[in-house]
Amino acid sequence: MTHRRVLSTVALTMAVTATTFTGGTPAAADPGPELHSFVAAFGYSISHPDLDPPGANDWSCRPSTRHPRPVVLVHGTWENRYNNFAQLSPALKRDGYCVFALNYGDTDDNLLSQPEFIKGNGDIRTSARELATFVDRVLATTGTAKVDIVGHSQGGMMPRQYLRFEGGAGKVATLVSLGATHHGTTLSGIGTFARTLGLLGFTPPILGRAAEQQVAGSDFLTAMNAGGDTVPGVSYVVIATRYDEVTTPYRSTFLTAGPGATVKNITLQDGCPIDLSDHLSMTYSWRAVGFVRKALDPAAPPAPCLPNAPVV
């Protein structure tokens, strides 16, 4: 079955679930299986809405001398910690990192709050405070002073709100973002994302506050970016794909370094034209995983050049 046919089935199931879900208390988080495509992980999460990605949230983990900082994974809009990181999380765990991942932005003020597997749709300012609470728990439990953050889409941009306004600047060493909406997306990008996930026809207020806030030129983005792209003391690694149909144009994800910060902007296809990752499949690109590894540990091997298919 092709990616397109699988995604159509997933989208149809999602639409039905959004209509019929009646709420309830989420089950305790358990680790889901390691999967190697967003389509498979997204489909699995529909009936398992609160899974941890494999390798994540072992609260007994203590960072090693080789990897002294825990890694916090932050999912994107309408995604969750499992379906975004069912490949990346176990890869980092096998490398010896203490890996943690949260679900955030699960509000009850829009239509998409009803299906439990849809997260990341609430006000981004509130989500940044949720991240702050989670990071503090990770630091207290592991006994470390700082974390590294790896985030996709909104999950790469929202931590910048945390860094600037919610006390995160002294608690984060490296922020790695993949396809992040740092400077927003066009309305066509939001529309493409909604169409891909079977949500076309809903308006931004129904889709959640976060979607509206990520449109280029929004009041939220204007306020967040008013002081520049970076804060002192943090290393930023920005990973983009030329085939990003959500963060559009794709170069809008790139950052400019301000005083006391470093920025490295990377395009997956530079030197590797066979990586065809789009917005949703890029966290399942082994090349992207390689760049994440290198960002977290300069001694890691170079990112491989391997094929990766787009979802759309």
Side-chain angles (χ1 to χ4, degrees):
M1 184 177 288
T2 66
H3 273 14
R4 189 180 299 274
R5 290 176 62 194
V6 170
L7 189 59
S8 297
T9 302
V10 169
L12 178 60
T13 305
M14 179 176 175
V16 172
T17 305
T19 303
T20 61
F21 187 84
T22 58
T25 303
D30 292 310
E34 180 172 349
L35 295 174
H36 298 286
S37 80
F38 175 78
V39 171
F42 183 85
Y44 193 85
S45 71
I46 289 176
S47 56
H48 303 81
D50 285 292
L51 292 174
D52 286 329
N57 296 341
D58 173 5
W59 295 95
S60 67
C61 186
R62 297 296 178 266
S64 64
T65 302
R66 180 181 176 188
H67 299 309
R69 292 184 300 273
V71 178
V72 175
L73 304 178
V74 188
H75 65 79
T77 308
W78 308 331
E79 297 173 306
N80 60 56
R81 63 190 172 199
Y82 174 73
N83 63 36
N84 221 162
F85 300 117
Q87 174 170 290
L88 178 60
S89 175
L92 294 178
K93 182 67 172 180
R94 285 192 292 270
D95 288 346
Y97 290 95
C98 291
V99 181
F100 298 90
L102 77 159
N103 283 329
Y104 69 88
D106 187 12
T107 65
D108 58 2
D109 60 357
N110 59 84
L111 182 63
L112 284 188
S113 67
Q114 300 308 307
E116 283 293 321
F117 63 95
I118 294 294
K119 317 290 185 182
N121 51 57
D123 190 301
I124 296 172
R125 297 178 183 89
T126 302
S127 294
R129 291 191 285 272
E130 293 180 51
L131 176 61
T133 299
F134 189 81
V135 168
D136 284 348
R137 181 187 176 194
V138 170
L139 293 176
T141 302
T142 60
T144 51
K146 291 187 177 184
V147 302
D148 294 327
I149 293 177
V150 179
H152 174 245
S153 195
Q154 181 194 162
M157 175 271 290
M158 177 268 281
R160 292 180 52 233
Q161 174 76 12
Y162 162 60
L163 290 172
R164 188 174 295 280
F165 298 111
E166 300 298 336
K171 301 175 182 179
V172 177
T174 302
L175 172 60
V176 185
S177 62
L178 299 100
T181 49
H182 290 308
H183 301 105
T185 178
T186 62
L187 283 170
S188 63
I190 292 289
T192 297
F193 199 14
R195 183 186 308 112
T196 301
L197 294 181
L199 305 172
L200 193 63
F202 295 124
T203 61
I206 296 176
L207 291 175
R209 179 69 172 149
E212 183 180 353
Q213 289 174 318
Q214 289 174 88
V215 174
S218 71
D219 290 344
F220 168 79
L221 287 171
T222 299
M224 187 188 72
N225 289 323
D229 289 348
T230 63
V231 299
V234 178
S235 174
Y236 298 79
V237 177
V238 183
I239 302 171
T241 174
R242 286 197 178 96
Y243 305 110
D244 198 321
E245 71 279 55
V246 176
T247 301
T248 53
Y250 80 91
R251 290 182 179 276
S252 68
T253 195
F254 291 154
L255 298 176
T256 300
T262 63
V263 170
K264 185 173 185 179
N265 294 314
I266 298 168
T267 301
L268 285 178
Q269 289 76 30
D270 285 353
C272 187
I274 61 174
D275 189 320
L276 303 179
S277 301
D278 64 0
H279 188 77
L280 289 172
S281 70
M282 67 184 305
T283 57
Y284 289 85
S285 158
W286 285 114
R287 184 165 177 81
V289 171
F291 281 126
V292 170
R293 285 170 160 152
K294 196 73 173 175
L296 299 176
D297 179 4
C305 180
L306 296 171
N308 192 52
V311 170
V312 181

